[in-house]
Amino acid sequence: SLTNGILEFIAVESSGRDYESLFTLECRPAALKFALLLIGCEPGESNGSPVNIEVEWAGKRAPVEQLLIERRTKKSPALLPWVFTGSYFTKSVLHGTELFMADEEQAFIALWWQPSVLISLKQEFGNPYRGEQQGFEANTKALPPKGTPVKLIFRRRD
């Protein structure tokens, strides 16, 4: 996982873009989608279920927002508007087979609107690659040490 620098994701697969993510997860995005459906979340590009995300490690538990710094305010954000977009299926240009885009992207949770990823932010915080006042970076003071096993906890926000 990334311990400093700008972020594009909260979580990706271990073979995904971990250099721009807080965490790597040991499952496929399709498996997490199934789990979110089982807890009653409904996918939707603009009207998916709102979700809370917590991180647990070494007996500590914190909202994922505490592990972020909003680059505009230089502070951890309040509760962020995470939405279960659910990703989507498309046909492979090369093979004509069906592809689940979150599995192709190897990404679970994005820090800006990305319908191909399972969970995205509904509010626009900007792209950190387009300016110093945009997006998020890791809150290095709050993060568990690199290599620490963590558990992400998802709850439907009603």
PDB file of all heavy atoms in Angstrom, residues 18 67 88 127:
ATOM      1  N   ASP A  18      -1.334  -0.451  -6.992  1.00  0.00           N
ATOM      2  CA  ASP A  18      -1.144  -0.225  -5.554  1.00  0.00           C
ATOM      3  C   ASP A  18      -0.321   1.021  -5.257  1.00  0.00           C
ATOM      4  O   ASP A  18      -0.349   1.528  -4.146  1.00  0.00           O
ATOM      5  CB  ASP A  18      -0.559  -1.455  -4.868  1.00  0.00           C
ATOM      6  CG  ASP A  18       0.808  -1.838  -5.376  1.00  0.00           C
ATOM      7  OD1 ASP A  18       1.220  -1.336  -6.435  1.00  0.00           O
ATOM      8  OD2 ASP A  18       1.464  -2.656  -4.710  1.00  0.00           O
ATOM      9  N   LEU A  67      -7.960   8.263   7.449  1.00  0.00           N
ATOM     10  CA  LEU A  67      -6.693   7.874   6.843  1.00  0.00           C
ATOM     11  C   LEU A  67      -6.364   8.708   5.605  1.00  0.00           C
ATOM     12  O   LEU A  67      -5.376   8.449   4.923  1.00  0.00           O
ATOM     13  CB  LEU A  67      -6.718   6.388   6.496  1.00  0.00           C
ATOM     14  CG  LEU A  67      -7.075   5.457   7.663  1.00  0.00           C
ATOM     15  CD1 LEU A  67      -7.057   4.018   7.214  1.00  0.00           C
ATOM     16  CD2 LEU A  67      -6.170   5.681   8.846  1.00  0.00           C
ATOM     17  N   TYR A  88     -19.809  -2.523 -14.107  1.00  0.00           N
ATOM     18  CA  TYR A  88     -20.669  -2.970 -15.204  1.00  0.00           C
ATOM     19  C   TYR A  88     -19.937  -4.006 -16.052  1.00  0.00           C
ATOM     20  O   TYR A  88     -18.729  -4.179 -15.936  1.00  0.00           O
ATOM     21  CB  TYR A  88     -21.113  -1.780 -16.073  1.00  0.00           C
ATOM     22  CG  TYR A  88     -19.968  -0.974 -16.651  1.00  0.00           C
ATOM     23  CD1 TYR A  88     -19.391  -1.296 -17.880  1.00  0.00           C
ATOM     24  CD2 TYR A  88     -19.453   0.121 -15.951  1.00  0.00           C
ATOM     25  CE1 TYR A  88     -18.336  -0.563 -18.395  1.00  0.00           C
ATOM     26  CE2 TYR A  88     -18.394   0.865 -16.465  1.00  0.00           C
ATOM     27  CZ  TYR A  88     -17.849   0.523 -17.684  1.00  0.00           C
ATOM     28  OH  TYR A  88     -16.798   1.239 -18.186  1.00  0.00           O
ATOM     29  N   ASN A 127      -9.264  15.964  -9.325  1.00  0.00           N
ATOM     30  CA  ASN A 127      -8.251  14.990  -9.715  1.00  0.00           C
ATOM     31  C   ASN A 127      -6.903  15.506  -9.214  1.00  0.00           C
ATOM     32  O   ASN A 127      -6.453  16.568  -9.630  1.00  0.00           O
ATOM     33  CB  ASN A 127      -8.261  14.864 -11.244  1.00  0.00           C
ATOM     34  CG  ASN A 127      -7.251  13.879 -11.764  1.00  0.00           C
ATOM     35  OD1 ASN A 127      -6.202  13.648 -11.164  1.00  0.00           O
ATOM     36  ND2 ASN A 127      -7.546  13.307 -12.914  1.00  0.00           N
TER      37      ASN A 127
END
